[in-house]
Every structure is written in structure tokens, then in C-alpha cells.
Amino acid sequence: MLDATNRSGGTATASPRAAVTELVTAVPTAAPIPSLTRAGFASRCTRALLSPWSRLSLLVALLVAAASTMLLFEPQRLLTHGWPPQLGGAAAAVVFAGAYGLCTVAFVPRPLLNLAAGALFGSQVGLGTALVGTVLGAGVAFGLGRVLGQDALRPLLRGRWLKAADGQLSRHGFRAMMVARLFPGVPFWAANYCAAVSRMGWPTFLLATALGSVPNTAAYAVAGARASSPTSPAFLIAMACIAVPALVGAVVAWRKRHHLRAR
């Protein structure tokens, strides 16, 4: 093997290994390709925007904007000012059903909308219009919650009550949603988003919503249509149909509460 200096004290000569190292370090490294750098940055941005928490933030922003819009619009004015005279007949019913659905997504209480449907269109047409709006609003809320919120919220289902609710909605979806719609103890929007976070399917959710909402919606629509004669038998029966399920739902919820505590 050659030494860095010769034995006779002559000039130093580099070893072959050192020469190869110098040759390698002398070769310039290739610069990163700009297109690949931009592609990597775009990929990271896309992953960040589509992450579960980014989608959940978008859902919260949409709901806050919708609720703020409803506060400015004041849909309760329909009960006092009536429907705009420019719309009438089937067109008015279609527009009202669409507005009904959007209002439920924005947390407007369904009883108020059901009363307005009965007052504006009568008992029968008001019932049909309100049911269409109910299913439409539930479907929109379910879709938003499923696409934007499920991935972020499912890992947080660790509490006893949350696990129990998720288990009921996931394993017994149709029955659980029917109960939630029949007894007005659970807010409409809360049932929609809880079902979206669970593993309930679309057909089960929409069918249970449509069937379970009929009695309560009909009672409110009749009450709204007969509000001008509060002593009429139809109005009194409608109010009884509203009060009795509410009372039964409160009793059932109280008993389930003690049952969960005992577990």
C-alpha cells in the first residue's frame, strides 16, 4: 500500500482512496427539478386540506355561516307576514320545501317550520311539503356530516353515553332513528349529525326519517292550519298529539338515563 509520503522524504503522494474521494466530492450534485418540487408541495397541501380535521373545520364554518344567515333572514316572519305574493300554487310548495330543508340544516326548529307549512298551505299540502323538506334537510345534513365530520369525530367516541348512542345507531339504525323522530326529545339536527358519525346507511336513515316524522309533522301542520280557531276539535287533537309524544319521550329518556348510570 502507498503511504501519504514516501520513505525517502520526497514529496507527498495521495493514496488511491483519497484520490477517489476528491473526485467524488468534485462532481456537482444535481439540482432538484422544479416541477417535482412543485408537485410535492401541491401534494402536501392537498393532503392537509383533505385531512379529517380540515374537513371538520369546513363543516363548522359552513354551519356557523348558515346559522348566521338564518338569524338575519328571520324565517319566523313567515308566520306573521305570510308567503310572498309573487309565488303561488305548486311553485310556492316546491320553493318552500327547499327552503325548509336548508333551514333545518341551519338549526331552525322544525316545529316552527311545520306550523308555517300548515298556515301557508293548509293541512294536507302543508304536511306533504313539510315532509319533503324534512327528508331533504336530513339528507343534506347527513351528507355533510358523513363527508366532512365522520373521520375526525369517530375516534373521539370514548364516553359511555357517546358509545351507547353510536352502538344503537350503528347496530339498530332503523329502530333508533324511528324512535328519535317519533319522540321529539332529540333535536332534529342533533339526530342528523349523530347518525352521520355512526355507521348507519343512507337508505336506513332516509326511510326512518320519512316514516318517523309523519305523526309529529302532521300534528304541527294541522295546528298551523287551524291556528285561527284554537277551540276547534282539530286544533285541540293536534295539540294533544304534540304533547303526548313529548311527555312519553321525556319519561323514556329519564328511564334510559338511570339505566345507563346503573351500568
Side-chain angles (χ1 to χ4, degrees), residues 100-123:
Y100 184 114
L102 295 178
C103 287
T104 59
V105 177
F107 310 111
V108 177
R110 282 185 65 245
L112 174 66
L113 298 171
N114 292 333
L115 290 173
L120 294 173
F121 302 104
S123 301

Side-chain angles (χ1 to χ4, degrees), residues 96-97 100-101 110 113-114 117 124-138 188 206 209-218 221:
F96 182 85
Y100 184 114
R110 282 185 65 245
L113 298 171
N114 292 333
Q124 297 179 356
V125 179
L127 171 60
T129 303
L131 283 178
V132 172
T134 296
V135 176
L136 176 63
F188 184 73
L206 294 177
T209 296
L211 295 179
S213 300
V214 171
N216 188 264
T217 305

Side-chain angles (χ1 to χ4, degrees), residues 2-4 12-27:
L2 297 176
D3 297 327
T13 58
S15 64
R17 181 178 298 177
V20 171
T21 303
E22 292 178 0
L23 180 61
V24 171
T25 56
V27 177

Side-chain angles (χ1 to χ4, degrees), residues 73-101 103 113 116-122 129:
F73 175 69
E74 298 180 356
Q76 64 271 17
R77 291 184 300 177
L78 292 174
L79 292 175
T80 57
H81 296 87
W83 191 252
Q86 295 83 2
L87 290 174
V94 171
V95 173
F96 182 85
Y100 184 114
C103 287
L113 298 171
L120 294 173
F121 302 104
T129 303

Side-chain angles (χ1 to χ4, degrees), residues 182-211:
L182 286 172
F183 301 109
V186 181
F188 184 73
W189 61 268
N192 294 336
Y193 292 113
C194 287
V197 175
S198 73
R199 303 189 187 280
M200 184 186 301
W202 278 88
T204 300
F205 172 78
L206 294 177
L207 181 60
T209 296
L211 295 179

